């Protein structure tokens, strides 16, 4: 029976950042299993190669072999398949063993291959002679020096568990005997359960007021060792009890909670259920087991694919390289007129597109200031739970539960940083909000994808019911009503609508101040036609300026001017029968009890005839192949 390990195997693995256990040319790795103990439905141990030790864990598929006694404490195993993972909170690593085979049953003691000095060898020889006289030998022919042999018997996992339970404190004994349920197995009709999860996101404490009274609420996102996530919400007494207890990144045992179907309008994770914890719920920190539960789980959306998420209820995750960081500004909240801090950052990724992310409240003053201080180093940041809006085409905003990680230790972050350092620095970037790039890979926001004729929109009256849908189309401005209300009076600071003050000037409700002057911003409808039909498009300031060719203030000046030639009418006539490519959203509005389609221009650009020709040729090729 083999009783030797592979010397220096662990240190060789840990020093190789690109180590792959599945490689066919790697050397054999035999280690000793030390300190084998159960954690939930898995087992942890310390892998020992005689010189170096590292924490390790068997996957649940190997549990039967441990319970049967095939894999034993102090026994030897050959590692066939395993991965090297990080314990981020402790800056150390551990092995996750997915496949192994038994080499030897339990040895008498722990293996130690450390080299000895001459004095130690002489002392060891004297000790061996003394042991020989007492008929005890613990020298193995391979040169492995073992500790003095003690009376021991190979023990199965069940015996080890029994001994451990007898020696630990009552609280620790409780954590060993509890049965941990995976999140995927929970449902509202289940009885008692216990889960072991990491807090991967924590919201702020919020107050609310309704007909029943006032209260407070906060929620957390929880992730178990299999990567399944669930959102847990706490109200009033429970919120006050657990708010300080739940710390971001820590692992907890939770029991005595309840589940219900998740409200799709408010859910932030992919789970059909959501959890509610009241003041009777049990929460216990599992500090020794945090290495086995994954960190925050991200589902990144490339910047070039943000178009399909505009104005949707689902939140998205984003990773990007910081291009610029603005100073902090104060914005007055419309609901209560409270001034809140805001900071804009511009991010870029490998699609060579950029997007502006607005950080609000504490993220603007805390993380935002940190990013401003290190902006010249172009850090990579990952952001969890962002809301996608349509301001300037595409815009992103943080919410109360958003989580920002600077320079995360993830493969995506390393790949992005490597790309930026090698070629991204000198690459010309374009904003995703412009929506003008015909070459965007799978770019749902590109003007040259999901192209439809107008008849496809107008022939489907229910299109856009429930949530907006987005298309690209090409057409001509066929008519602009000259007598419509084409603009509104706007605040020069926030662009909100203003009213004329009693004495003079204009009052802005958003900024809560009076200005002597205001600006005009377009809000107009135009008729667009193509070979299949026509439809009325609503367009706002930036898009309308591109259609008309001048600002609303300039057009108003032309309207007020006299003369033989009506410059106002001439300007509108010049804007008609010009071809454009439009990015539009289709929604359903109710007017006088009747549902009507509303088509809104999100972006507009003149036709790029070279790109348009390529698009048409590709379309012809697809139809021929079909």
């Amino acid at each position: 029976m083999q009783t030797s390990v592979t010397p220096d195997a662990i240190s060789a693995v840990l020093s190789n950042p690109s180590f792959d256990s599945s490689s066919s040319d790697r050397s054999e790795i035999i280690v000793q299993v030390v300190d084998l103990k159960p954690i939930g439905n898995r087992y942890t141990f310390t892998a020992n190669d005689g010189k170096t030790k590292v924490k390790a864990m068997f996957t649940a598929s190997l549990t039967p072999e441990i319970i049967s006694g095939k894999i034993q404490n102090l026994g030897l195993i050959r590692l066939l398949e395993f991965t090297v993972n990080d314990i981020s909170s402790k800056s150390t690593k551990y092995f996750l063993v997915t496949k192994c085979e038994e080499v030897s049953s339990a040895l008498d003691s722990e293996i130690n291959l450390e080299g000895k000095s001459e004095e130690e060898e002489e002392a060891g020889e004297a000790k061996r002679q003394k042991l020989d006289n007492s008929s005890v030998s613990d020298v193995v022919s391979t040169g492995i020096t073992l500790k003095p042999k003690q009376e021991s018997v190979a023990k199965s996992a069940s015996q080890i568990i029994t001994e451990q339970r007898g020696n630990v404190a009552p609280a620790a004994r409780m954590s060993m005997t509890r049965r941990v349920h995976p999140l995927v197995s929970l449902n509202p009709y289940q009885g008692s359960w216990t889960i072991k999860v990491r807090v991967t996101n924590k919201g702020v404490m919020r107050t609310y007021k309704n007909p029943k009274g006032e209260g407070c609420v906060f929620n957390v996102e929880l992730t178990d060792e299999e990567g399944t996530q669930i959102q847990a919400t706490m109200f009033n007494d429970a919120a006050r009890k657990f708010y300080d207890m739940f710390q971001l990144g820590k692992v907890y045992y939770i029991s005595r909670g309840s589940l219900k179907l998740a409200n799709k309008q408010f859910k932030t994770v992919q789970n059909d259920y959501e959890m509610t914890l009241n003041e009777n719920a049990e929460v216990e920190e599992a500090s020794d087991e945090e290495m086995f539960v994954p960190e925050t789980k991200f589902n990144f959306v490339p910047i070039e694919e943000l178009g399909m998420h505009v104005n949707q209820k689902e939140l998205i995750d984003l990773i990007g390289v910081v291009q610029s960081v603005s100073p902090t500004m104060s914005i007055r909240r419309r609901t209560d007129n409270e001034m809140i801090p805001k900071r804009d950052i511009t991010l870029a990724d490998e699609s060579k597109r950029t997007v502006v992310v607005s950080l609000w409240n504490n993220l603007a003053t805390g993380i935002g200031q940190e990013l401003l201080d290190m902006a010249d180093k172009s850090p990579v940041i990952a952001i969890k739970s962002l809301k996608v809006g349509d301001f300037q085409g595409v815009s992103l905003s943080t919410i109360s539960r958003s989580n920002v990680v600077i320079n995360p230790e993830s493969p995506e972050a390393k790949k992005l940083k490597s790309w930026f350092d090698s070629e991204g620095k000198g690459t010309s970037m374009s904003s995703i909000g412009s929506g003008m790039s015909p070459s965007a890979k799978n770019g749902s926001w590109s003007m040259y994808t999901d192209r439809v004729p107008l008849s496809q929109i107008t022939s489907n009256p229910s299109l856009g019911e429930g949530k907006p849908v987005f298309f690209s189309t090409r057409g001509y401005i066929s008519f602009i009503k000259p007598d419509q209300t084409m603009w509104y009076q706007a605040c020069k600071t926030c662009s909100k609508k203003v009213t004329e003050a009693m004495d003079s000037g204009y009052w802005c409700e958003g900024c809560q101040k009076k200005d002597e002057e205001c600006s005009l911003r377009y809000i107009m409808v135009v008729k667009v036609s193509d070979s299949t039909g026509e439809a009325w498009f609503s367009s706002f300031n930036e898009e309308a300026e591109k259609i008309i060719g001048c600002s609303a203030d300039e057009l108003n000046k032309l309207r007020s001017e006299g003369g033989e030639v009506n410059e106002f009418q001439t300007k509108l006539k010049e804007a008609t029968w010009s071809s454009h490519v439009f990015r539009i959203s289709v929604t359903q509005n109710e007017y006088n009890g009747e549902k009507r389609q509303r088509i809104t221009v999100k972006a507009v650009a003149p036709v790029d005839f070279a790109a348009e020709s390529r698009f048409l040729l590709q379309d012809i090729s697809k139809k021929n192949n079909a």
Side-chain angles (χ1 to χ4, degrees):
M1 180 184 295
Q2 184 171 353
T3 56
S4 62
V5 293
T6 307
D8 299 315
I10 293 176
S11 58
V13 170
L14 295 178
S15 63
N16 183 4
S18 59
F19 176 79
D20 183 6
S21 66
S22 61
S23 176
S24 58
D25 58 349
R26 73 168 177 84
S27 57
E28 180 182 65
I29 300 178
I30 297 177
V31 296
Q32 185 182 33
V33 177
V34 180
D35 297 330
L36 180 67
K37 62 180 180 180
I39 298 292
N41 62 343
R42 301 185 181 188
Y43 284 79
T44 64
F45 69 101
T46 300
N48 174 33
D49 68 1
K51 294 184 178 181
T52 307
K53 295 180 181 180
V54 65
K55 289 184 177 295
M57 180 180 186
F58 291 113
T59 59
S61 61
L62 295 174
T63 298
E65 294 190 38
I66 301 171
I67 294 176
S68 66
K70 192 173 182 181
I71 297 175
Q72 298 180 354
N73 192 43
L74 297 182
L76 304 184
I77 59 172
R78 181 178 290 106
L79 300 182
L80 301 178
E81 293 180 9
F82 65 98
T83 57
V84 182
N85 297 330
D86 293 316
I87 309 176
S88 58
S89 60
K90 299 182 180 179
S91 300
T92 56
K93 297 180 181 295
Y94 74 96
F95 290 177
L96 181 63
V97 181
T98 55
K99 188 176 181 181
C100 68
E101 62 182 17
E102 177 199 11
V103 174
S104 167
S105 57
L107 301 180
D108 294 334
S109 58
E110 191 177 313
I111 296 175
N112 181 7
L113 293 181
E114 291 291 341
K116 305 293 182 180
S117 63
E118 292 185 6
E119 292 80 2
E120 289 175 316
E121 288 293 340
E122 292 175 1
E125 181 62 30
K127 186 175 183 179
R128 283 193 291 274
Q129 291 177 357
K130 182 178 180 180
L131 291 172
D132 287 339
N133 294 334
S134 60
S135 302
V136 178
S137 176
D138 60 353
V139 180
V140 181
S141 59
T142 59
I144 300 174
T145 304
L146 304 180
K147 296 177 182 178
K149 184 175 180 179
Q150 300 174 354
E151 290 296 328
S152 63
V153 179
K155 301 172 184 177
S156 68
S158 59
Q159 291 174 307
I160 295 172
I161 294 172
T162 302
E163 290 182 1
Q164 290 175 339
R165 287 175 179 171
N167 295 329
V168 296
R173 194 180 307 142
M174 185 184 302
S175 71
M176 294 177 63
T177 57
R178 75 181 75 191
R179 180 188 174 193
V180 174
H181 290 70
L183 286 177
V184 72
S185 70
L186 301 186
N187 63 72
Y189 313 105
Q190 202 166 345
S192 60
W193 44 258
T194 298
I195 57 174
K196 184 179 69 178
V197 288
R198 184 189 296 276
V199 177
T200 49
N201 206 351
K202 179 182 176 181
V204 298
M205 183 77 80
R206 308 188 306 276
T207 58
Y208 63 88
K209 183 185 294 185
N210 58 30
K212 296 181 180 180
E214 298 181 358
C216 58
V217 60
F218 89 100
N219 53 48
V220 291
E221 291 176 12
L222 308 173
T223 305
D224 68 4
E225 59 188 13
E226 296 177 358
T228 307
Q229 294 182 291
I230 195 168
Q231 178 177 293
T233 304
M234 286 138 281
F235 294 90
N236 301 322
D237 291 342
R240 288 184 283 269
K241 176 180 178 181
F242 294 120
Y243 185 77
D244 293 329
M245 183 179 297
F246 279 124
Q247 297 297 318
L248 190 64
K250 290 191 175 182
V251 178
Y252 299 87
Y253 287 111
I254 301 176
S255 58
R256 302 186 69 181
S258 61
L259 272 75
K260 65 178 181 179
L261 283 172
N263 186 333
K264 293 183 179 180
Q265 184 176 355
F266 301 109
K267 76 173 187 176
T268 60
V269 298
Q270 294 301 315
N271 198 314
D272 292 334
Y273 301 113
E274 61 184 359
M275 185 181 298
T276 301
L277 301 178
N278 60 26
E279 60 272 21
N280 297 320
E282 294 183 358
V283 178
E284 176 187 339
E285 186 178 348
S287 56
D288 294 335
E289 301 172 25
E290 60 182 36
M291 60 181 278
F292 304 116
V293 180
E295 300 286 346
T296 302
K297 184 178 180 181
F298 292 93
N299 295 305
F300 296 120
V301 175
I303 292 177
E304 66 178 359
E305 296 180 15
L306 289 173
M308 68 177 67
H309 300 276
V310 171
N311 292 332
Q312 302 298 303
K313 293 179 181 177
E314 292 80 8
L315 302 175
I316 64 102
D317 304 337
L318 188 77
I319 188 170
V321 180
V322 176
Q323 299 289 284
S324 64
V325 183
S326 76
T328 304
M329 61 193 85
S330 295
I331 304 295
R332 187 178 298 276
R333 188 157 49 196
R334 185 185 304 174
T335 54
D336 55 8
N337 286 326
E338 181 184 350
M339 300 297 291
I340 55 176
K342 173 193 174 187
R343 189 191 299 267
D344 289 337
I345 61 174
T346 302
L347 301 182
D349 68 6
E350 292 169 286
S351 64
K352 301 177 183 178
R353 310 302 295 272
T354 63
V355 67
V356 175
V357 181
S358 296
L359 305 179
W360 296 89
N361 295 310
N362 293 337
L363 289 178
T365 55
I367 292 286
Q369 183 60 45
E370 189 176 344
L371 289 173
L372 182 62
D373 295 340
M374 60 190 304
D376 57 330
K377 299 178 182 177
S378 300
V380 174
I381 67 169
I383 310 179
K384 180 79 174 174
S385 300
L386 284 169
K387 184 178 180 181
V388 187
D390 60 5
F391 180 68
Q392 294 182 343
V394 178
S395 61
L396 301 177
S397 292
T398 59
I399 58 175
S400 60
R401 64 177 69 96
S402 297
N403 183 24
V404 180
V405 181
I406 301 177
N407 291 324
E409 292 291 332
S410 68
E412 295 92 345
K414 293 176 182 177
K415 180 183 177 184
L416 184 59
K417 185 63 175 175
S418 175
W419 165 80
F420 185 78
D421 291 339
S422 61
E423 59 176 297
K425 282 183 180 178
T427 302
S428 176
M429 307 279 186
S430 61
S431 170
I432 182 62
S434 63
M436 305 307 170
S437 173
S439 59
K441 303 173 183 176
N442 340 309
S444 58
W445 186 249
S446 169
M447 294 291 194
Y448 296 87
T449 56
D450 53 22
R451 176 77 69 83
V452 298
L454 289 177
S455 60
Q456 184 170 327
I457 299 172
T458 56
S459 63
N460 186 355
S462 62
L463 195 64
E465 191 169 1
K467 65 178 182 179
V469 291
F470 296 85
F471 298 106
S472 297
T473 190
R474 177 188 171 185
Y476 293 84
I477 306 294
S478 56
F479 182 60
I480 303 174
K481 290 181 180 180
D483 56 347
Q484 65 175 304
T485 302
M486 303 181 69
W487 47 70
Y488 67 95
Q489 295 174 327
C491 173
K492 287 189 171 183
T493 303
C494 68
S495 300
K496 303 293 184 183
K497 187 175 181 179
V498 296
T499 56
E500 293 186 9
M502 293 291 292
D503 45 2
S504 64
Y506 302 89
W507 173 257
C508 176
E509 192 67 30
C511 297
Q512 290 289 296
K513 67 177 184 179
K514 188 182 80 168
D515 281 326
E516 292 302 318
E517 296 181 348
C518 69
S519 62
L520 299 180
R521 292 178 65 85
Y522 283 116
I523 176 171
M524 58 185 290
V525 292
V526 297
K527 183 184 282 188
V528 178
S529 304
D530 68 4
S531 59
T532 67
E534 59 186 17
W536 288 97
F537 286 11
S538 298
S539 58
F540 296 95
N541 196 60
E542 286 77 11
E543 291 73 32
E545 283 184 354
K546 295 175 183 177
I547 292 172
I548 301 298
C550 65
S551 68
D553 287 306
E554 292 170 336
L555 190 61
N556 181 51
K557 185 177 180 181
L558 294 178
R559 173 184 270 181
S560 60
E561 288 178 352
E564 295 181 1
V565 180
N566 190 328
E567 295 292 342
F568 171 74
Q569 292 281 5
T570 302
K571 194 68 177 176
L572 295 185
K573 192 173 291 186
E574 289 175 354
T576 57
W577 299 113
S578 56
S579 181
H580 297 275
V581 182
F582 300 92
R583 183 69 184 179
I584 57 175
S585 69
V586 183
T587 57
Q588 290 285 330
N589 281 6
E590 191 167 326
Y591 182 74
N592 288 337
E594 179 185 353
K595 284 190 175 181
R596 293 183 179 180
Q597 237 178 27
R598 179 182 173 90
I599 304 173
T600 304
V601 179
K602 296 298 181 181
V604 60
V607 175
D608 180 339
F609 289 100
E612 190 72 17
S613 298
R614 287 193 295 270
F615 168 76
L616 293 174
L617 287 171
Q618 291 173 2
D619 197 34
I620 293 170
S621 177
K622 289 177 183 177
K623 290 179 178 178
N624 288 338
N625 293 335

